[in-house]
Amino acid sequence: AQKITQTQPGMFVQEKEAVTLDCTYDTSDPSYGLFWYKQPSSGEMIFLIYQGSYDQQNATEGRYSLNFQKARKSANLVISASQLGDSAMYFCAMSPNRDDKIIFGKGTRLHILP
Amino acid sequence: GAVVSQHPSRVICKSGTSVKIECRSLDFQATTMFWYRQFPKQSLMLMATSNEGSKATYEQGVEKDKFLINHASLTLSTLTVTSAHPEDSSFYICSARDWTGRFGPDTQYFGPGTRLTVL
């Protein structure tokens, strides 16, 4: 079964510290995409980072990096030097077989403390 | 790039009325758009996939006659909630795929969402 698991419902982190949000996935498709989205209290879903299953290197976008461990089916998001504005809900997602649909995890609510 | 707009951002209506929500890709063409529903403190639930020039594909359990989807052009999809009732109150959010984007053809970009309240 295709599934995304985020085991941390909530996290509290001190400002300027690095944050790792966990995500594991399950799929039997050899080709898939992995995503992270940020949803602040305003509700919009902001695309953060993408990792293709055949990409050799971990994706990096500014302060965001995706720690892709294919054998462990893990796609953790790392936010370096956290800021107050990083407080939001974060969703890990997958497109199995590069198909139309994206499957979302249940999300992790991140709180950055001043 | 890859900006998706959604209108209106908030709507309050009486029970029994119909509400139309528009989703537009502003700087790219989107042959495929998606409509999601999100309940408070929950993840997104895919309602349907909207394909330009053809009928939408609905997820299991989503009423086609209740949630009418039209994808008339490469930049516009609309969701009409017909005869809305209080249980239809929710946050509705659309997305579109940018096939030409650098983040892979399966990356979806989301609109800002529409909060529907049915009285």
Side-chain angles (χ1 to χ4, degrees):
Chain A
Q2 294 155 345
K3 190 178 177 182
I4 291 281
T5 302
Q6 294 180 255
T7 57
Q8 307 152 308
M11 285 185 70
F12 290 83
V13 174
Q14 208 66 41
E15 189 181 7
K16 299 182 183 177
E17 290 184 353
V19 181
T20 297
L21 304 181
D22 296 340
C23 173
T24 57
Y25 60 92
D26 190 16
T27 181
S28 56
D29 295 310
S31 179
Y32 50 89
L34 295 161
F35 315 85
W36 278 92
Y37 289 89
K38 172 184 178 182
Q39 188 177 41
S41 56
S42 59
E44 59 184 317
M45 289 284 284
I46 302 168
F47 166 73
L48 295 179
I49 198 165
Y50 167 83
Q51 179 86 41
S53 58
Y54 290 120
D55 293 343
Q56 296 296 316
Q57 292 186 323
N58 287 345
T60 302
E61 294 293 332
R63 293 188 299 113
Y64 305 107
S65 60
L66 197 151
N67 185 358
F68 181 44
Q69 298 188 39
K70 195 170 184 177
R72 298 178 62 182
K73 295 189 173 179
S74 165
N76 297 343
L77 176 71
V78 180
I79 306 174
S80 63
S82 59
Q83 302 171 356
L84 295 177
D86 294 333
S87 294
M89 193 75 163
Y90 288 80
F91 291 98
C92 179
M94 173 178 67
S95 62
N97 202 27
R98 312 299 291 272
D99 198 355
D100 279 350
K101 302 176 187 179
I102 284 184
I103 299 169
F104 285 88
K106 292 188 175 181
T108 295
R109 182 160 295 282
L110 176 64
H111 302 268
I112 304 298
L113 304 172
Chain B
V3 178
V4 177
S5 71
Q6 199 170 330
H7 179 79
S9 58
R10 187 178 294 268
V11 58
I12 301 172
C13 68
K14 292 183 179 180
S15 185
T17 59
S18 293
V19 175
K20 180 186 282 189
I21 303 170
E22 292 186 349
C23 178
R24 294 180 185 272
S25 57
L26 297 185
D27 52 359
F28 65 100
Q29 294 184 331
T31 55
T32 307
M33 291 184 171
F34 304 86
W35 287 96
Y36 294 84
R37 185 173 180 177
Q38 186 179 30
F39 292 104
K41 299 186 188 299
Q42 293 189 23
S43 188
L44 279 70
M45 182 187 77
L46 179 65
M47 298 174 66
T49 301
S50 170
N51 299 297
E52 188 267 336
S54 64
K55 290 183 179 180
T57 304
Y58 290 82
E59 295 299 299
Q60 193 173 6
V62 178
E63 299 175 59
K64 300 177 185 181
D65 296 332
K66 174 73 161 174
F67 300 100
L68 299 179
I69 291 172
N70 184 274
H71 195 151
S73 76
L74 287 172
T75 59
L76 173 65
S77 175
T78 60
L79 168 68
T80 301
V81 183
T82 62
S83 187
H85 291 286
E87 58 266 29
D88 299 324
S89 297
S90 190
F91 187 65
Y92 293 87
I93 189 165
C94 71
S95 71
R97 293 199 300 174
D98 180 4
W99 288 92
T100 63
R102 73 179 182 96
F103 291 111
D106 44 350
T107 301
Q108 292 183 22
Y109 299 93
F110 286 81
T114 297
R115 193 161 301 282
L116 171 64
T117 303
V118 185
L119 302 176

